[in-house]
Amino acid sequence: MMGGGKGAWTPEQLATMERLRDAAMVDPYALNQLRHLTDNIGPRLSGSPQAQQAVEYVAAEMRALGAEVTLEKAMVPHWVRGAETAELVQWPGQTPGTTQKVVLTALGPSVATPPEGLTAEVVVVDDWKQFQALPAGAAKGRILLFNHKFDKELAAEGHGGAAYGGAVVYRGMGPVAGAAVGAMAVLVRSAGGADYRIPHTGMTDYAEGVARIPAASVTAEDADMLKNLASQGPVKLHLTLTPRTLPDAVSYNVIADWKGSEHPEQVVIVSGHLDSWDLGTGAIDDGAGVAVSMQAIHLLHDLGLHPRRTVRFVAWMSEEEGSEGAAAYMADHAAEVSNHVGAIECDLGADHPTGIYYAGKPALGQWLRPVAQVLDAIGAGNLESSRGVGEDVDGLTQKGVPSFAPVQDSRTYFNYHHTAADTFDKVDPKHLNETAALMTVLAYALADSAERAGSGE
Ligand SMILES: [Zn+2]
């Protein structure tokens, strides 16, 4: 029964949710797990020894709680960052005999320049319109800079995801577009709001039949400088990138089941992704998501709770480089999709959660009201409908599994995301605990409700 009337939970179940919420707000487990993943293990790039260490560590922690742990194999990209330097070697007003440093970082899975680097003139476009207006041959043999600005005002108003979405298309499609017009390399302006001259990495795409050219992200400050100088006259850049793409590596999703007492075959996923970019230590993206999901299992253990259905912790592998872990999960569990009663993913940062995104039947919002009331006490009671909630659970969402994510304050997320500044100190312990409370309460609610989420009208 959905949509009004008495809810799917008894007063006793709602009281249990309050206990879980209150425990999550004071329990240091999530913070301690995040500290270990970031400070002790460090960056967890797909295919790296640290990613493997993180798999083994998280699996052992979940086993220690008595969860049933499975490592689910996935073949993942293994790209390794190399040297990445750039200097202006010619520009209007240059002091003779000098160069000027440009701060940048390679995009994954960029190919390398020659080891000694390449030197070419820089052509700057602000957007696709300017790109399409380039005279024929204007970018041939040049370094093409896509100088599209991340919309900091939009982010400051709480629409960080929209600001990112507007910028990230240039990072994704720029190198193919540049190669198609003969560019030697492509630079993109960082797809984030960082000041302090910090470059922002992330994935770019190559296409079959189009030359793979080196691709890097420059800081917003350097993009502004290149645009200014190029408007005055010829600007030449010496660019050296030496990343390597090694053969795909064996890696794993970590799956830990807290078995259901009545319907163990029915599962609620509570999840984050274990891999990270390599410049920082992957605290907000997405060590925090893993840590708060681990906390859900930990608190069920500590409070001795065994909901009707299985709560399945998943630490996804390789979200950043193509969601190969999620694809493996969809392939391995294709026959059991109908047993997934809910999928929760936390991958939108680690700031204060204001509520829950839900994807599925519109009536899910009404159905979740009693849960939202429990979370209202920590300012996380807002329910927002969304078409999707996260990259890793999207395959399940597409197949009709009710899907959820914390709605997180995104005003500063993209200042640190995918940069060297994504480190443990960026996570406010109170906000992390709030997110852990939301994940734990929601996982319990979905796993113990009288009827399955989305089963009614
Ligand atoms: Zn992420």
Side-chain angles (χ1 to χ4, degrees):
M1 184 195 78
M2 293 177 70
K6 88 180 174 63
W9 300 276
T10 63
E12 291 71 29
Q13 287 172 311
L14 292 169
T16 298
M17 290 180 216
E18 291 175 0
R19 282 169 59 216
L20 285 167
R21 176 198 67 200
D22 295 345
M25 288 305 296
V26 295
D27 188 294
Y29 180 86
L31 192 71
N32 289 339
Q33 294 298 352
L34 180 62
R35 188 188 282 112
H36 187 87
L37 286 172
T38 54
D39 283 356
N40 297 83
I41 296 179
R44 302 172 301 281
L45 199 63
S46 284
S48 67
Q50 296 100 316
Q52 180 58 27
Q53 180 69 24
V55 163
E56 289 167 18
Y57 173 75
V58 170
E61 290 296 295
M62 290 290 101
R63 268 187 215 110
L65 297 175
E68 191 176 302
V69 174
T70 317
L71 297 187
E72 180 171 55
K73 185 177 160 184
M75 296 304 292
V76 301
H78 191 190
W79 178 81
V80 180
R81 190 177 298 282
E84 38 194 30
T85 59
E87 322 75 51
L88 294 179
V89 293
Q90 184 194 326
W91 68 94
Q94 177 184 22
T95 303
T98 65
T99 61
Q100 191 173 173
K101 184 181 169 90
V102 167
V103 181
L104 49 67
T105 192
L107 297 174
S110 177
V111 296
T113 63
E116 69 280 10
L118 58 83
T119 302
E121 193 173 322
V122 179
V123 174
V124 183
V125 294
D126 288 342
D127 52 30
W128 298 122
K129 198 174 163 204
Q130 287 187 11
F131 172 72
Q132 273 138 21
L134 283 176
K140 194 166 168 50
R142 307 265 163 84
I143 297 171
L144 180 61
L145 167 62
F146 286 95
N147 180 43
H148 185 271
K149 282 189 183 172
F150 177 88
D151 191 338
K152 292 170 88 162
E153 288 177 330
L154 192 58
E157 286 166 11
H159 304 287
Y164 183 59
V168 81
V169 291
Y170 292 90
R171 187 186 81 205
M173 297 164 67
V176 166
V181 295
M184 290 180 80
V186 157
L187 304 179
V188 297
R189 184 183 177 111
S190 284
D195 294 319
Y196 309 115
R197 216 174 175 186
I198 299 172
H200 175 280
T201 192
M203 279 300 275
T204 190
D205 294 315
Y206 289 125
E208 288 301 322
V210 181
R212 294 176 174 231
I213 59 174
S217 170
V218 293
T219 66
E221 293 90 336
D222 288 276
D224 284 341
M225 174 181 72
L226 288 166
K227 176 168 172 151
N228 174 34
L229 295 177
S231 74
Q232 299 171 30
V235 172
K236 275 193 182 167
L237 188 72
H238 177 236
L239 172 67
T240 307
L241 302 173
T242 63
R244 288 175 302 148
T245 298
L246 303 176
D248 284 354
V250 175
S251 191
Y252 304 92
N253 297 320
V254 182
I255 298 177
D257 282 354
W258 190 253
K259 286 289 183 185
S261 54
E262 278 179 30
H263 299 291
E265 77 290 356
Q266 295 182 13
V267 299
V268 174
I269 287 179
V270 56
S271 67
H273 68 84
L274 193 51
D275 66 303
S276 77
W277 283 106
D278 55 329
L279 298 175
T281 55
I284 62 172
D285 187 13
D286 186 29
V290 172
V292 296
S293 300
M294 292 173 80
Q295 176 67 299
I297 302 296
H298 176 248
L299 288 177
L300 291 175
H301 167 269
D302 275 17
L303 272 65
L305 296 170
H306 294 276
R308 290 188 171 108
R309 306 181 186 89
T310 293
V311 176
R312 172 171 291 173
F313 162 87
V314 186
W316 305 102
M317 185 47 67
S318 201
E319 188 276 342
E320 297 294 1
E321 297 188 48
S323 296
E324 284 77 8
Y329 187 91
M330 290 307 291
D332 292 356
H333 300 270
E336 307 144 36
V337 169
S338 63
N339 277 333
H340 288 70
V341 308
I344 316 170
E345 177 169 10
C346 177
D347 185 23
L348 299 169
D351 277 319
H352 170 63
T354 54
I356 300 169
Y357 283 124
Y358 62 93
K361 293 183 182 177
L364 274 176
Q366 182 68 25
W367 188 78
L368 275 177
R369 273 296 158 71
V371 178
Q373 277 168 12
V374 170
L375 296 172
D376 192 51
I378 56 168
N382 207 34
L383 295 166
E384 296 185 35
S385 173
S386 176
R387 290 220 328 237
V389 301
E391 193 69 33
D392 291 300
V393 299
D394 205 51
L396 293 167
T397 310
Q398 300 301 325
K399 292 205 176 294
V401 175
S403 303
F404 309 89
V407 179
Q408 285 177 295
D409 182 346
S410 63
R411 289 177 295 174
T412 63
Y413 179 49
F414 292 98
N415 294 354
Y416 307 117
H417 169 266
H418 293 197
T419 74
D422 179 3
T423 46
F424 178 73
D425 55 287
K426 302 308 180 303
V427 177
D428 179 320
K430 178 165 172 279
H431 294 161
L432 188 76
N433 285 350
E434 290 165 351
T435 308
L438 184 154
M439 297 290 278
T440 306
V441 166
L442 182 57
Y444 171 82
L446 294 167
D448 210 46
S449 59
E451 81 270 19
R452 290 173 56 151
S455 62
E457 289 308 306

